[in-house]
Amino acid sequence: MSNDRVERITEALGAQTTIRGVLETACHGLLFMKQETACEISRVVGDLLVGLVELSPDDGRCLDLGHEYLISEYPLTQEVIERGEARTVSLLEEAPEPNEAQLLQKLGFESLLMVCLPTTTGCWGLVEAYADEKLFNESDAAAAEKIAVVAGEQLDRLDPASRR
C-alpha cells in the first residue's frame, strides 16, 4: 500500500469522534488497502476475542460478528496479542498452523493477517484482514500495523477506560 493511502486512512482515523467510528474506519481502510476480501476487529476480553466490526463487501461472506473465540486455542492469535507482533497464516502455505487453518476453512478464506490494536494498556483488540488467492507479506503487515497504531491512539483519546 502506498504511503499516501496509509496517510489518508490515518487522517480519517484522526477525524473520528466515536469508538465505533474509529473501528469502522480502520476496518474500511485495511479492507481496501490491497483488495482484501474481509476485515474484522475484535476486542480482547481476558482469554476471549469478541468480534465488534466486520466488513466483507465483495461477496457477503460473514465472519461471525459477535462470536467469541478462546484466544488460547489459537497459538498465532495469542502471539499477536501477547507480543504485539503481526502474524500471518494461509491455506496456501505448506503447513499452516492447524487451529488457525481450520478456522480459515470454516470462514471460507485462504489467508489471514493479524495485527494487535494497541493502546497504552496493551493489546486492546485484534485486527484481522482476510484474503483469497494471495499471501500477506511484510509490507502488508507494516501498513496494517501503522493503521492499527493510529486507531489505538484514537481509542486512548476517546475512551479513558482504555488507559486503565
Side-chain angles (χ1 to χ4, degrees):
M1 177 182 340
S2 73
N3 285 335
D4 289 342
R5 187 153 198 164
V6 172
E7 289 304 316
R8 283 194 304 271
I9 295 165
T10 58
E11 285 175 17
L13 284 167
Q16 298 307 307
T17 59
T18 66
I19 293 169
R20 181 150 198 89
V22 169
L23 300 179
E24 288 177 349
T25 300
C27 209
H28 188 269
L30 288 165
L31 183 64
F32 293 104
M33 72 180 195
K34 288 208 172 205
Q35 293 77 47
E36 276 68 0
T37 307
C39 179
E40 180 171 25
I41 298 180
S42 301
R43 179 73 162 109
V44 174
V45 182
D47 190 37
L48 291 177
L49 262 184
V50 180
L52 299 178
V53 173
E54 73 174 45
L55 288 174
S56 182
D58 65 339
D59 60 9
R61 283 185 273 186
C62 181
L63 295 170
D64 292 334
L65 184 64
H67 189 83
E68 298 173 347
Y69 292 95
L70 286 174
I71 295 166
S72 56
E73 291 181 357
Y74 299 93
L76 295 179
T77 300
Q78 190 166 10
E79 284 182 20
V80 172
I81 291 165
E82 290 177 354
R83 298 180 187 171
E85 300 169 357
R87 294 287 184 265
T88 63
V89 64
S90 178
L91 300 177
L92 304 173
E93 298 170 340
E94 190 172 312
E97 196 288 317
N99 291 352
E100 305 278 2
Q102 184 178 18
L103 184 58
L104 273 173
Q105 287 174 328
K106 175 186 169 196
L107 295 173
F109 297 101
E110 292 180 334
S111 298
L112 169 63
L113 166 65
M114 297 176 282
V115 299
C116 169
L117 177 52
T119 62
T120 54
T121 60
C123 189
W124 185 94
L126 183 72
V127 179
E128 300 165 275
Y130 293 86
D132 290 322
E133 300 177 11
K134 78 173 263 186
L135 293 169
F136 288 103
N137 60 37
E138 288 181 23
S139 174
D140 298 326
E145 286 177 320
K146 183 172 183 177
I147 291 166
V149 164
V150 174
E153 290 168 353
Q154 284 299 95
L155 290 175
D156 277 335
R157 185 178 66 77
L158 294 170
D159 182 14
S162 73
R163 293 188 292 263
R164 290 186 201 145

